[in-house]
Amino acid sequence: MTGPLQIAQKTVRFYRENLSDCLLFGLLSQSISIIGLALSPLKRLLVLSENLSPEWLSEHLGQTMTIGITSVLWLIINFWLYLLIAGALARFVWKRDRNEEAHAVSSTLQTFDQGGPLLWANLLTGLIIGAAALFTSIMFFLYKTGASESGGGFIISLLLSVAMGGVVFLCLKFSLVTAVVLFEGRRGMHALNRSWFLMTGREFDAFMLFTLLFAIFLLFGMLMGVLQGGDMNTTPNPDAPSWSLLENLIGIIIAPLFPIGITQFYQTIIADQKG
């Protein structure tokens, strides 16, 4: 099987050869993120609750619940839109690697037909990983508050380590869910089971691939910071308008890397199985 380094190289090469389309996908993805944050109902709650207190909550309970529910729905909509863009990019990669005609717009429109199964499978994935992350948070809270000093220190530390590793492990095992939904037509738990099966024995390769892609992200961010006029040791000011603009630019350029890499990884696994 092709190693993670070769897959990362294929990812970068595909990005370079299809630069304009990849940047368009990156722009769409970053636009969803910016609009989602700007229009989030949660911002309204933060403004209202500047003087947060039990009395304030009791007086505004109905309004708080309405804003909370609306915020969750808004988050799901934004997550769905992001999945559509990531799925469209995956479809674009799939077709281009097979020398089929593919365009950013047509790939996005075709992905809308699978929008429901795509959202459902990824929500199930999020629930499973979220449960593991919640357990990790509880163990971390017990560890930091000194509960481990009461006699169960070793057990809590062990559970925390296992939980943190479990979250990473689950993220790796379910990383192919979107590709399975798009290219194999599987739905719900069947998509999760298929991703788990495909990733069996390839967890380390996936971990190394994502580490390489994340390293590219960090390197690019540092280089952009240097070009802005800083240096490698300068901490950027996130409140500065220039840094906000730079951050969005980095997001546009970097966003396509991970969907491309995951699709290339999936194609490598399928080709290896056929071989």
Side-chain angles (χ1 to χ4, degrees):
M1 179 179 173
T2 306
L5 180 59
Q6 289 76 20
I7 297 175
Q9 290 174 339
K10 287 175 62 178
T11 299
V12 174
R13 183 168 61 250
F14 182 91
Y15 192 113
R16 186 177 64 249
E17 294 173 351
N18 301 274
L19 182 61
S20 59
D21 290 294
C22 290
L23 289 178
L24 177 57
F25 281 114
L27 177 61
L28 291 173
S29 177
Q30 191 66 10
S31 298
I32 291 171
S33 176
I34 295 173
I35 295 173
L37 289 174
L39 301 181
S40 174
L42 190 60
K43 294 185 66 175
R44 173 64 177 167
L45 180 61
L46 295 176
V47 172
L48 291 174
S49 60
E50 291 180 353
N51 299 317
L52 187 62
S53 65
E55 293 77 14
W56 186 93
L57 286 175
S58 63
E59 293 177 1
H60 301 83
L61 182 60
Q63 187 178 14
T64 302
M65 292 181 62
T66 301
I67 294 177
I69 294 173
T70 307
S71 299
V72 171
L73 293 176
W74 181 250
L75 180 64
I76 292 175
I77 291 173
N78 279 268
F79 179 57
W80 178 66
L81 291 174
Y82 170 78
L83 286 175
L84 288 176
I85 300 302
L89 178 53
R91 187 184 298 278
F92 179 80
V93 175
W94 180 271
K95 287 189 172 183
R96 281 292 172 92
D97 281 350
R98 283 156 179 73
N99 296 319
E100 298 178 13
E101 185 177 358
H103 303 284
V105 176
S106 61
S107 298
T108 304
L109 293 176
Q110 291 173 6
T111 307
F112 266 94
D113 295 336
Q114 295 172 288
L118 200 60
L119 176 62
W120 177 233
N122 279 277
L123 284 178
L124 288 175
T125 303
L127 288 174
I128 295 173
I129 296 176
L134 178 61
F135 179 74
T136 303
S137 300
I138 294 173
M139 291 299 102
F140 183 75
F141 175 78
L142 293 176
Y143 179 80
K144 294 295 289 184
T145 54
S148 59
E149 299 176 1
S150 61
F154 174 75
I155 295 178
I156 291 179
S157 299
L158 180 61
L159 288 175
L160 177 60
S161 301
V162 171
M164 292 174 64
V167 171
V168 175
F169 180 75
L170 289 174
C171 289
L172 294 174
K173 295 293 283 186
F174 295 137
S175 59
L176 299 181
V177 165
T178 294
V180 168
V181 172
L182 290 174
F183 307 127
E184 299 185 18
R186 300 183 185 247
R187 302 189 176 196
M189 288 302 301
H190 295 290
L192 275 67
N193 292 334
R194 175 63 173 168
S195 177
W196 187 286
F197 171 77
L198 291 174
M199 289 297 300
T200 300
R202 299 178 174 92
E203 297 86 355
F204 181 74
D205 287 336
F207 178 77
M208 292 303 300
L209 172 62
F210 297 150
T211 300
L212 288 171
L213 295 179
F214 188 68
I216 295 174
F217 171 79
L218 291 179
L219 178 61
F220 190 85
M222 288 189 293
L223 290 176
M224 292 292 286
V226 171
L227 293 176
Q228 191 189 24
D231 56 65
M232 293 292 186
N233 299 318
T234 301
T235 302
N237 179 13
D239 295 327
S242 59
W243 174 252
S244 179
L245 180 62
L246 178 64
E247 191 176 33
N248 290 328
L249 179 60
I250 293 174
I252 292 172
I253 297 174
I254 295 298
L257 271 179
F258 286 92
I260 295 173
I262 292 172
T263 306
Q264 296 282 7
F265 189 64
Y266 171 78
Q267 292 184 128
T268 301
I269 294 175
I270 297 300
D272 183 60
Q273 285 189 336
K274 291 181 178 178

